[in-house]
Amino acid sequence: MKITFLIHNVYGIGGTVRTTLNLAAALAGRHQVTIVSMLRHRARPRFAVDPRVTVVPLVDTREHGADAADPLLHQPAEVFPAAEKRYKQYSRLTDKRAEEYLRSSDADVLIGTRPGVNVYLARFGSPRALRIAQEHLTHDSHSKRLRAQLARHYRDLDAVVTTTEADAAVYRSRMPLPGVRTLAVPNCVPDPGLPPADGSAKVIAAAGRLVPAKRFDLLVEAFGEVAGKFPDWSLRIYGAGTDKDRLRRLIEEHGLEGRAALMGVVSPIEEVFARASIVASASDAESFGMTLVEAMRCGVPVVATDCPLGPAEIIDDGVDGRLVPMGDKHALAAELCQLIADESGRRRMGEAARAAAHRFDPARIAAVYEDLFAELTASRRTRARQRGKARWRARAGRVLRRLRG
């Protein structure tokens, strides 16, 4: 089977890039897998790409790249939805290249990995192929305008796949798509192949984009309470983003220099997680929570805010990690202190976390996708009838409304 993923930029860094590469590698053992990158801004991808996976860049945005002189590169996109957060990075050249590639593709399965790219998939992807939209963000993180645009296009697809069951339920209730399978499949996270953390390091680690929604400010404030009780413990935050300077000032204001540090971007992150004893997440929102699983794979317990939508579907509270109320720095500090004080309990929780993380094995997630491909293929005619009836009812409703008017 030929499987093609369409991604915003496989040359960049981010959770969607990591999980797409993980899933592509898992499927490449049994299928012919291609990753089509809408954009290319550097010579090589930052993350390792399985040699069995083919990477095809569509538009080279480098200053002296192959497309630098193309006038379409500097004209705004007309197909990529303007309400999409990445809209300014797209152009008429991206529209053109996506259409050309998709119309000529002989893939059996086409999988898009962000909303605007999924619109390309719906507009230009061959109906002979299975067309699947992955949602690595969440329904409610999209603007009302974007959701309306997606609803028009997603109805032409075969499936919409979210990373959590909670988000799938939101899609089913607020964006009903007759004939389209809407389901949750978690991201896959491979075993890092490292010895598990032994729980002896007096280090709390955290990782992610340094942006307001990740609430690293709350974590720093909570650590201020921890530091007063356990002066030999430190906090290390890995990542980059717009909040970097604000977080540095906050660390200074709380007198935590030398105790709390911004460590920059590290990849693979598992190497530093394995040298910590606790991983913390204070996010206000998570579409999944890759860092939580990555920490668990290293045998490190996680203390995370019980935010929408991912942590509660990853962490079994009190067994392989702890969940605390969102936005409550005192609760976060209390759970961190409890784990620090209970070394044997911390080790047991880390062992449980490592065992629980096996449900995110790439081979298991790849098998779920293979089952989905078979199901979608077998149900093509039934789903086409459902889609046709829904369209007929919609047209009839419009006619009735016009007559009444």
Side-chain angles (χ1 to χ4, degrees):
M1 182 177 280
K2 295 181 179 179
I3 302 170
T4 294
F5 291 88
L6 294 93
I7 193 169
H8 167 64
N9 190 343
V10 79
Y11 297 85
I13 290 177
T16 301
V17 178
R18 292 205 309 276
T19 192
T20 299
L21 290 172
N22 291 342
L23 180 56
L27 290 166
R30 290 164 49 88
H31 306 280
Q32 183 177 326
V33 180
T34 300
I35 295 177
V36 174
S37 184
M38 298 294 115
L39 305 176
R40 178 185 192 170
H41 73 292
R42 65 195 312 270
R44 294 180 179 82
R46 291 182 183 272
F47 294 130
V49 179
D50 189 292
R52 299 169 297 178
V53 174
T54 301
V55 174
V56 178
L58 293 188
V59 175
D60 190 337
T61 63
R62 291 176 291 178
E63 185 178 358
H64 302 294
D67 298 316
D70 194 316
L72 294 180
L73 180 63
H74 308 290
Q75 297 179 25
E78 296 177 351
V79 178
F80 194 90
E84 227 264 34
K85 294 177 182 178
R86 297 284 189 179
Y87 175 72
K88 290 185 179 179
Q89 297 181 43
Y90 284 73
S91 64
R92 284 190 61 195
L93 183 59
T94 330
D95 290 348
K96 178 174 178 286
R97 295 278 172 81
E99 180 175 8
E100 290 172 348
Y101 184 89
L102 286 167
R103 291 201 186 284
S104 64
S105 173
D106 63 349
D108 302 297
V109 181
L110 295 165
I111 303 175
T113 58
R114 70 169 298 118
V117 174
N118 294 336
V119 170
Y120 283 153
L121 187 62
R123 285 283 301 272
F124 307 133
S126 170
R128 294 188 300 275
L130 295 177
R131 294 177 291 173
I132 299 171
Q134 286 183 343
E135 276 285 354
H136 291 273
L137 300 173
T138 66
H139 177 278
D140 291 348
S141 69
H142 302 323
S143 67
K144 184 177 180 180
R145 181 184 171 201
L146 179 58
R147 291 198 298 265
Q149 291 175 316
L150 296 181
R152 289 198 301 273
H153 293 289
Y154 280 13
R155 67 184 57 159
D156 293 323
L157 300 176
D158 292 283
V160 174
V161 178
T162 66
T163 58
T164 64
E165 180 53 43
D167 198 33
V170 173
Y171 269 92
R172 286 191 288 263
S173 64
R174 299 186 195 173
M175 193 187 289
L177 300 166
V180 180
R181 179 91 155 84
T182 301
L183 72 157
V185 181
N187 289 336
C188 59
V189 181
D191 187 326
L194 299 170
D198 62 13
S200 64
K202 296 181 177 181
V203 175
I204 301 168
R209 290 178 297 116
L210 305 185
V211 295
K214 296 295 185 181
R215 294 307 310 269
F216 287 110
D217 58 331
L218 187 78
L219 178 57
V220 169
E221 291 174 355
F223 181 70
E225 297 183 28
V226 173
K229 298 177 181 178
F230 299 95
D232 52 347
W233 277 69
S234 63
L235 171 65
R236 297 173 185 171
I237 298 173
Y238 298 87
T242 56
D243 253 11
K244 180 179 178 179
D245 291 338
R246 184 171 75 96
L247 291 171
R248 182 177 286 116
R249 289 194 298 271
L250 190 63
I251 289 170
E252 293 171 356
E253 289 167 8
H254 283 73
L256 295 170
E257 302 99 316
R259 303 283 307 284
L262 304 180
M263 308 297 291
V265 175
V266 173
S267 179
I269 193 65
E270 290 91 343
E271 292 180 1
V272 295
F273 280 170
R275 296 196 295 270
S277 290
I278 302 171
V279 167
S281 171
S283 290
D284 280 347
E286 288 286 352
S287 56
F288 177 66
M290 284 284 286
T291 57
L292 309 188
V293 182
E294 288 164 337
M296 292 169 70
R297 297 230 68 152
C298 295
V300 182
V302 178
V303 178
T305 48
D306 190 9
C307 65
L309 296 163
E313 294 190 24
I314 294 173
I315 295 171
D316 186 357
D317 187 28
V319 177
D320 50 35
R322 295 309 308 261
L323 295 172
V324 300
M326 191 170 68
D328 189 336
K329 67 179 179 182
H330 301 300
L332 179 58
E335 289 297 343
L336 291 171
C337 287
Q338 185 173 334
L339 274 181
I340 288 172
D342 184 6
E343 183 172 349
S344 62
R346 190 169 70 241
R347 291 176 189 270
R348 286 194 302 272
M349 190 170 281
E351 291 170 0
R354 187 172 172 86
H358 282 295
R359 69 185 188 273
F360 303 103
D361 283 346
R364 293 189 181 192
I365 303 303
V368 172
Y369 270 96
E370 289 176 325
D371 289 344
L372 176 61
F373 302 156
E375 176 192 334
L376 293 175
T377 300
S379 63
R380 271 184 187 276
R381 291 184 179 179
T382 300
R383 291 184 295 100
R385 286 196 295 270
Q386 292 172 346
R387 188 180 291 117
K389 287 179 181 178
R391 287 174 175 167
W392 183 89
R393 285 195 296 267
R395 284 195 295 268
R398 289 193 294 269
V399 171
L400 284 173
R401 286 192 294 271
R402 283 198 297 269
L403 291 174
R404 287 170 181 167

